[in-house]
Amino acid sequence: MVKSYLKFEPSKSFGVVASSTSNLVWTSKEKSGTGAGQAIVASNEEVLVWDIKKGELLGRWWDETCKVPVTAIAQSKTDPDLFAVGYENGSIKLWDSKIATSVVSFNGHKSAITTLAFDKTGVRLASGAKDTDIIIWDLVAEVGQYKLRGHKDQITGLRFIEPDPIVQDEDGDQALMAVDSEAAEGFLLTTGKDALIKLWDLSSRHCIETHVAQSNGECWALGVSPDLSGCITAGNDGEMKVWGLDVEALAASTQHVDLTQSVNFLQDRGTLHRSSKERAVEVVFHPRRDYFAVHGIEKNVEIWRVRSESEVKKSLARKKKRRKEKASKDKKGDNIQVDDADDDNVKPEISDVFVQHIIVRTTGKVRSVDWAMSSTTKDLQLLAGFTNNLLELYTIAGKDKAKSKGDAPDYNRALAVELPGHRTDIRSLAISSDDKMLASAATGSLKIWNIRTQACIRTFECGYALCCAFLPGDKVVVVGTKEGELQLYDVASAALLESVNAHEGKAVWSLQVHPDGRSVISGGDDKTVKFWDFKIVQEQVLGTTRTTPKLKLVQSRILKVADDVLSLRFSPDSKLLAVALLDSTVKVFFVDTLKLYLNLYGHKLPVLNMDISYDSKLIVTCSADKNIRIWGLDFGDCHKALFGHQDSILQVKFIPHNSDGNGHHFFSASKDRTIKYWDADKFEQIQRIDGHHGEVWALAVSQSGRVLVSAAHDKSIRVWEETDEQIFLEEEREKELEELYESTLTTSLEQDEDAQDQDREVAAATKQTVETLMAGERIAEALELGMADLNVVKEWEDAKLSNPNIAPPQRNPIFLALGNISAEQYVMNTLQRIKASALHDALLVLPFASVPMLFTFLNIFAMRSMNIPLTCRILFFMLKTHHKQIVSSKTMRGMLDGIRSNLRGALRKQKDEMGYNIAALKVVGMQLADKSVKEYVDDKWEEDELEARKKDVKKRAFASLS
């Protein structure tokens, strides 16, 4: 009988406020009921929606197929519910925030997405990535239109520049003109780490201008003013360059095919310097006011202000006056006139236009900021996300709020989302005896969580915590710190009960409560293991004669060892005590006499953690040498050494009662970001648990053995639950090999570009994935089945001419099972089921031998008017891809002639139908306009008009929309 195990599946994930991998987006949602709005932030592979005012989690966007972290988020300008989210593997998903569902997914980039931008109509999306490419995506057709190349390093900023087209009317005046969107696709402004800023014409799909954005190496941020009149690029050493953008010339250039004189649309206006010398991360302009925020990875955000024209003139006048005074002092002995002519033509310097408004000092290193629009306050509001798992909203006074001229503007931290996560990495986890509460200890904080609801019940300030445990009764948590203290916290009263300097200022690396629950042991850097008893002491209440009972730790025994203690473990039968030392050995002592029982040698590097099975027969140790060793506690022999992980193994934990009941299954967690599930009797790996995006620091197993909790460097606490799904070891190994094969397959299929293609500015936005390969195989299979069926039916129809009573042919069972559908309908269904975004890549999988078969079906589709848009799309793509072969093939010519005539007929018919329907709609619209004018005007227009007549004031008439 083949042994099976039960699988552990991800159940919950919490503890993350915002990951530092991505930017954040502020959005106003009136439905939330609070005026502060919502923050859309990344949380590893998920996107979280926080109510900033209440600090509540409103939504979680999660796709179980996606396991990689989010790296960029952008919101559509036209549809506030639509968000584009970029991931570390180069994929992009469009999310509908109303239903928290992924609507479309795109694959085109080879590496992490760095920046995303929607155009002003919301039908196109531009994405930039670390692979130096920019891709323009059509959101309506759900395809990648093209890839723009030109940057030599990762893309750091991009923005659509879509000026309203301007033409000259008959009088020579400039007038706005609505131009067909196809004629003017607009422009794209991009910056890269290669220190270049480029302006792309999207109509002709080429770069029309390139400038060096930064003089000192790299360009890291791009901010474009809301009126598109200019932009700011920022790089290293606190340098910011201001660029003027000639929007009118850009708009006019869309009307000309050839620009006679070379026009520079981007002009360098000058350089500004931030107070900080760190490299910039973002430059964000306020959408409605003349301010912009800029920040690096330091603990502040600089707010700059754009002065108005009158302020600039005043500033110039002051400078002029100062110059005159200085000149008159220099020439006080001579009667020389100071010439004013030069002063009148003085142009303002860039520092006259842009001035630093305020520096906002923050509590953490800033990762991303966004302006928050508020209807309740006139102050500026800035939402900031930090690298330490924290969100804050700052209120900043504008220039108009300054009480007197010399006063510096003020700011304050209005709101924060900090409770649902630690600021630093969690180093230890402990589960209460009833499996309802979880304690997580990190540097500076201890948090108690409700495992079922993932709510943070209590937060305590503590030292640099290294280990923690619940005391019997689950009302008190003990924490061991790097400063050598043992701290007792009361969960109910949220108070520190006692702090004991246990190890004379040396780190407490491990502690454990005795199985009988009456004492606790701690081991530290001072080469001692100390035993502490719990005592209830009657303590006098200050200022009164009353006493109150208080829990205290009293040292009872001490065990001195040869080296620093890294880990401690009692055997569940409380007879033995295992101590792991810095010298890579584990020593096992008798608990009652503290005499040495066993010495366990074998690890090449220190043992970081260990655990003893619940029948006290096995001890498992894990080390920085990446090995796990399983030892017998009867003779101290090493049963097996397993090469467990690709990096140091930080924790091992036995399951109290696994499905066999002997408790010999255990988990191991490592710096290689994985958790593994092992059978200590068979020395086999049962399951690899992936999910964390950082070193897994801590593990805890529930008393029932059905729940595993893990915490990692990615700040997340993840809960894994045992399911009823069975695992067979051979199947798991096969699955792992398949995953490895698939991951290497797609990269090997990426075609190496020819030298001539590599230098091109424009390329196709394609990327082969496992999904597109499968789709291509399905198309090829459907074409073969369909062609075979077409031939069978044709033979039967030919035979029917000579013999009308001949029986129908034996068709493929698949067609019969699907309701006796025709071959062309089967092929069409196969093509329709493929996602629009994956169709082109799937068609590229087809060999040229399949193209005649595909064209045969395209001809039938055109003849029968079956999904003409899809037919046209496939036809044009195949003609473009296989143009050379098709042109040189004689047999294809007749086929193409047939397709052309059939397709033209179908398209003409559709065009006539649409024209007829549009004309009918116009007639209906006119009839509505004649009959019910009131529907198109304000409800109160009559009352308003009467009031206006009474006051004898001219009232502007409301025009009918028709």
Side-chain angles (χ1 to χ4, degrees):
M1 181 75 183
V2 179
K3 185 168 170 58
S4 69
Y5 302 87
L6 295 178
K7 191 173 189 179
F8 277 81
E9 290 276 12
S11 162
K12 306 176 186 88
S13 173
F14 56 98
V16 181
V17 176
S19 292
S20 60
T21 53
S22 165
N23 64 313
L24 56 82
V25 173
W26 179 89
T27 178
S28 64
K29 291 281 178 179
E30 278 68 39
K31 286 176 288 183
S32 67
T34 58
Q38 295 175 6
I40 313 293
V41 298
S43 162
N44 298 319
E45 73 276 13
E46 304 174 323
V47 177
L48 302 181
V49 184
W50 290 103
D51 184 317
I52 304 166
K53 198 166 190 178
K54 294 179 182 172
E56 281 179 10
L57 184 63
L58 300 174
R60 189 189 285 271
W61 308 345
W62 177 63
D63 186 351
E64 59 184 27
T65 58
C66 188
K67 299 277 194 294
V68 288
V70 174
T71 54
I73 304 172
Q75 184 180 20
S76 171
K77 296 182 179 90
T78 47
D79 180 3
D81 292 322
L82 192 68
F83 289 84
V85 178
Y87 295 86
E88 200 177 56
N89 62 353
S91 63
I92 300 165
K93 289 183 189 292
L94 288 183
W95 289 87
D96 187 336
S97 63
K98 273 186 181 171
I99 51 175
T101 308
S102 170
V103 189
V104 187
S105 60
F106 295 122
N107 270 299
H109 289 287
K110 294 186 182 76
S111 55
I113 306 293
T114 51
T115 176
L116 294 165
F118 283 91
D119 72 346
K120 73 177 176 193
T121 54
V123 296
R124 283 178 303 167
L125 174 74
S127 63
K130 284 187 177 175
D131 61 4
T132 76
D133 293 335
I134 299 151
I135 299 182
I136 308 295
W137 305 93
D138 184 336
L139 303 185
V140 178
E142 298 181 9
V143 290
Q145 291 182 319
Y146 47 88
K147 191 182 280 185
L148 297 172
R149 292 175 173 153
H151 285 286
K152 299 293 179 223
D153 209 332
Q154 74 176 56
I155 310 301
T156 54
L158 49 80
R159 177 76 185 269
F160 279 97
I161 307 292
E162 297 168 286
D164 295 315
I166 295 172
V167 290
Q168 303 257 325
D169 60 14
E170 290 169 7
D171 306 329
D173 297 327
Q174 287 189 336
L176 289 176
M177 185 184 86
V179 173
D180 181 27
S181 62
E182 287 299 314
E185 289 187 23
F187 301 86
L188 189 73
L189 193 63
T190 64
T191 55
K193 194 181 157 188
D194 56 4
L196 297 179
I197 180 167
K198 285 176 175 279
L199 185 64
W200 305 80
D201 184 342
L202 298 182
S203 305
S204 59
R205 299 180 185 180
H206 79 286
C207 178
I208 53 174
E209 236 175 89
T210 303
H211 299 272
V212 176
Q214 301 303 125
S215 61
N216 54 10
E218 295 166 341
C219 176
W220 283 100
L222 168 72
V224 181
S225 65
D227 59 356
L228 306 181
S229 62
C231 67
I232 290 175
T233 58
N236 298 333
D237 296 335
E239 183 186 78
M240 295 192 293
K241 253 192 185 173
V242 182
W243 301 84
L245 189 59
D246 195 341
V247 186
E248 288 183 8
L250 270 180
S253 73
T254 55
Q255 305 304 309
H256 304 295
V257 177
D258 183 29
L259 293 171
T260 47
Q261 75 278 14
S262 60
V263 183
N264 261 4
F265 300 114
L266 269 174
Q267 286 104 19
D268 186 352
R269 293 273 191 244
T271 305
L272 299 169
H273 288 279
R274 298 195 295 131
S275 58
S276 164
K277 293 294 177 195
E278 288 277 346
R279 77 167 172 85
V281 174
E282 280 181 324
V283 176
V284 187
F285 274 86
H286 196 287
R288 294 186 199 145
R289 294 165 74 174
D290 293 333
Y291 293 89
F292 69 87
V294 57
H295 69 89
I297 6 175
E298 65 273 336
K299 290 188 174 184
N300 62 57
V301 181
E302 293 181 30
I303 312 293
W304 289 67
R305 190 167 62 81
V306 187
R307 280 177 166 169
S308 62
E309 277 186 42
S310 59
E311 282 182 284
V312 173
K313 281 176 185 170
K314 277 181 191 173
S315 170
L316 287 177
R318 275 199 301 273
K319 279 189 177 179
K320 183 177 165 186
K321 189 179 174 186
R322 244 179 255 131
R323 263 199 304 274
K324 275 187 180 176
E325 285 171 2
K326 193 180 178 188
S328 60
K329 274 180 188 173
D330 291 345
K331 305 178 177 80
K332 55 186 169 188
D334 310 322
N335 291 323
I336 300 170
Q337 288 291 318
V338 179
D339 191 16
D340 296 347
D342 294 339
D343 286 343
D344 294 338
N345 298 326
V346 171
K347 282 190 176 178
E349 291 176 16
I350 201 66
S351 55
D352 295 329
V353 182
F354 294 92
V355 289
Q356 198 177 72
H357 179 61
I358 193 172
I359 297 177
V360 178
R361 306 287 176 193
T362 57
T363 50
K365 287 183 178 176
V366 186
R367 169 57 185 89
S368 177
V369 298
D370 198 10
W371 292 101
M373 306 302 132
S374 175
S375 51
T376 53
T377 175
K378 286 184 180 176
D379 287 335
L380 301 166
Q381 287 195 318
L382 189 75
L383 175 68
F386 303 101
T387 54
N388 65 349
N389 200 24
L390 175 67
L391 286 176
E392 290 184 344
L393 185 78
Y394 289 90
T395 303
I396 302 152
K399 186 197 175 276
D400 44 352
K401 283 285 180 81
K403 287 169 187 167
S404 65
K405 261 190 178 179
D407 274 10
D410 196 15
Y411 70 90
N412 68 309
R413 189 179 92 149
L415 301 163
V417 182
E418 58 185 343
L419 191 66
H422 285 277
R423 305 286 77 78
T424 50
D425 288 4
I426 296 165
R427 302 309 292 261
S428 180
L429 292 171
I431 297 178
S432 62
S433 58
D434 57 3
D435 294 347
K436 288 181 180 174
M437 287 191 297
L438 173 77
S440 61
T443 308
S445 62
L446 166 73
K447 285 181 181 281
I448 312 295
W449 307 82
N450 180 327
I451 295 180
R452 195 174 56 81
T453 61
Q454 300 115 60
C456 180
I457 310 165
R458 290 276 184 272
T459 300
F460 303 96
E461 281 188 20
C462 66
Y464 192 133
L466 295 173
C467 47
C468 68
F470 275 98
L471 297 190
D474 301 329
K475 290 180 179 172
V476 178
V477 178
V478 59
V479 174
T481 70
K482 200 172 184 180
E483 295 81 29
E485 293 186 337
L486 285 178
Q487 298 174 337
L488 294 175
Y489 293 94
D490 185 352
V491 176
S493 65
L496 172 66
L497 294 177
E498 193 189 10
S499 181
V500 180
N501 186 0
H503 288 266
E504 294 154 14
K506 301 285 180 72
V508 181
W509 287 111
S510 185
L511 59 83
Q512 196 196 1
V513 178
H514 193 283
D516 67 6
R518 291 178 185 173
S519 63
V520 65
I521 54 165
S522 63
D525 270 357
D526 61 350
K527 303 179 184 178
T528 61
V529 177
K530 292 188 178 179
F531 292 73
W532 306 86
D533 290 340
F534 303 134
K535 287 276 174 74
I536 303 294
V537 179
Q538 295 295 329
E539 224 178 46
Q540 191 172 341
V541 180
L542 283 171
T544 65
T545 53
R546 285 186 296 112
T547 58
T548 178
K550 195 171 183 184
L551 179 70
K552 281 205 175 286
L553 292 177
V554 179
Q555 187 180 327
S556 58
R557 291 194 289 173
I558 186 166
L559 168 66
K560 292 190 176 177
V561 286
D563 215 330
D564 296 0
V565 179
L566 297 183
S567 184
L568 296 166
R569 195 58 61 199
F570 276 116
S571 63
D573 61 9
S574 53
K575 288 179 182 172
L576 301 172
L577 168 65
V579 181
L581 305 181
L582 192 63
D583 62 6
S584 310
T585 64
V586 176
K587 296 190 181 325
V588 184
F589 298 90
F590 290 107
V591 174
D592 48 2
T593 61
L594 294 186
K595 281 187 178 173
L596 184 65
Y597 169 51
L598 293 170
N599 254 329
L600 308 180
Y601 297 100
H603 282 290
K604 295 181 181 69
L605 289 170
V607 173
L608 301 177
N609 197 252
M610 57 189 175
D611 202 10
I612 298 175
S613 65
Y614 283 74
D615 56 6
S616 301
K617 286 180 181 173
L618 294 179
I619 178 168
V620 63
T621 58
C622 68
S623 164
D625 64 9
K626 308 174 192 175
N627 284 310
I628 296 166
R629 284 179 180 262
I630 301 160
W631 316 75
L633 265 180
D634 39 9
F635 303 109
D637 55 325
C638 180
H639 289 187
K640 189 76 173 174
L642 302 164
F643 180 74
H645 291 265
Q646 302 300 316
D647 209 333
S648 300
I649 305 168
L650 301 171
Q651 288 253 305
V652 280
K653 277 280 183 290
F654 271 107
I655 298 177
H657 315 289
N658 48 273
S659 44
D660 295 349
N662 65 354
H664 284 190
H665 295 176
F666 67 92
F667 291 101
S668 64
S670 165
K671 276 189 177 179
D672 69 0
R673 307 179 177 193
T674 61
I675 300 165
K676 288 185 178 178
Y677 183 22
W678 304 86
D679 184 339
D681 291 330
K682 290 197 164 188
F683 319 124
E684 289 270 15
Q685 180 190 319
I686 301 167
Q687 186 189 351
R688 193 184 76 203
I689 300 172
D690 294 311
H692 281 292
H693 304 291
E695 300 94 347
V696 185
W697 290 114
L699 288 180
V701 180
S702 67
Q703 303 300 318
S704 65
R706 293 188 63 87
V707 176
L708 167 74
V709 184
S710 60
H713 175 62
D714 60 12
K715 304 286 193 298
S716 68
I717 301 170
R718 292 174 191 258
V719 180
W720 316 84
E721 285 184 3
E722 191 179 55
T723 60
D724 294 331
E725 188 184 336
Q726 289 189 324
I727 291 179
F728 296 95
L729 298 184
E730 291 78 13
E731 283 181 16
E732 278 296 300
R733 295 299 88 77
E734 280 174 25
K735 207 182 286 179
E736 282 176 22
L737 284 171
E738 273 175 27
E739 281 173 15
L740 187 67
Y741 170 67
E742 283 177 1
S743 64
T744 52
L745 176 69
T746 48
T747 48
S748 63
L749 276 169
E750 286 296 324
Q751 296 165 349
D752 294 325
E753 287 117 358
D754 302 332
Q756 56 180 15
D757 287 349
Q758 232 164 356
D759 297 333
R760 284 184 187 167
E761 274 191 339
V762 184
T766 61
K767 186 190 176 190
Q768 288 294 354
T769 61
V770 175
E771 185 189 4
T772 57
L773 291 176
M774 303 279 279
E777 285 172 11
R778 285 203 302 274
I779 295 172
E781 193 183 329
L783 288 174
E784 283 174 16
L785 282 173
M787 281 307 291
D789 192 68
L790 281 182
N791 293 333
V792 167
V793 172
K794 193 172 183 301
E795 284 172 14
W796 174 66
E797 283 173 350
D798 290 344
K800 205 175 174 185
L801 295 173
S802 56
N803 181 9
N805 298 325
I806 193 167
Q810 184 65 41
R811 297 180 70 208
N812 193 306
I814 292 173
F815 297 118
L816 300 173
L818 293 168
N820 207 13
I821 59 170
S822 62
E824 59 269 23
Q825 189 60 54
Y826 176 69
V827 174
M828 176 54 84
N829 290 349
T830 306
L831 290 166
Q832 281 175 333
R833 272 198 295 272
I834 295 164
K835 287 179 187 171
S837 54
L839 181 63
H840 284 181
D841 290 321
L843 290 168
L844 284 173
V845 176
L846 294 179
F848 185 69
S850 303
V851 173
M853 290 194 278
L854 181 62
F855 276 38
T856 306
F857 281 102
L858 290 176
N859 194 15
I860 298 170
F861 298 157
M863 211 187 302
R864 305 207 174 154
S865 296
M866 293 167 72
N867 198 341
I868 293 298
L870 181 64
T871 305
C872 291
R873 197 177 145 203
I874 294 170
L875 175 67
F876 298 148
F877 179 74
M878 295 309 280
L879 285 172
K880 192 167 72 177
T881 308
H882 299 289
H883 181 257
K884 289 176 185 171
Q885 292 97 317
I886 290 169
V887 169
S888 59
S889 168
K890 288 183 181 178
T891 52
M892 298 292 285
R893 179 164 182 172
M895 197 180 277
L896 283 171
D897 280 341
I899 292 175
R900 183 177 66 174
S901 57
N902 288 330
L903 201 56
R904 279 191 173 172
L907 287 168
R908 197 176 294 115
K909 187 183 169 192
Q910 285 202 352
K911 185 186 168 190
D912 293 343
E913 274 179 18
M914 286 169 80
Y916 184 83
N917 289 339
I918 289 167
L921 283 169
K922 280 182 180 172
V923 171
V924 171
M926 285 158 65
Q927 287 174 348
L928 274 171
D930 290 343
K931 287 180 183 174
S932 53
V933 182
K934 279 187 184 176
E935 278 187 27
Y936 289 86
V937 296
D938 197 313
D939 294 340
K940 298 180 181 177
W941 69 285
E942 288 176 329
E943 295 166 26
D944 290 347
E945 211 160 42
L946 284 168
E947 280 178 30
R949 279 177 192 158
K950 281 177 192 171
K951 291 175 182 174
D952 202 23
V953 176
K954 269 195 176 181
K955 184 78 178 169
R956 184 165 61 83
F958 285 81
S960 165
L961 289 180
S962 60

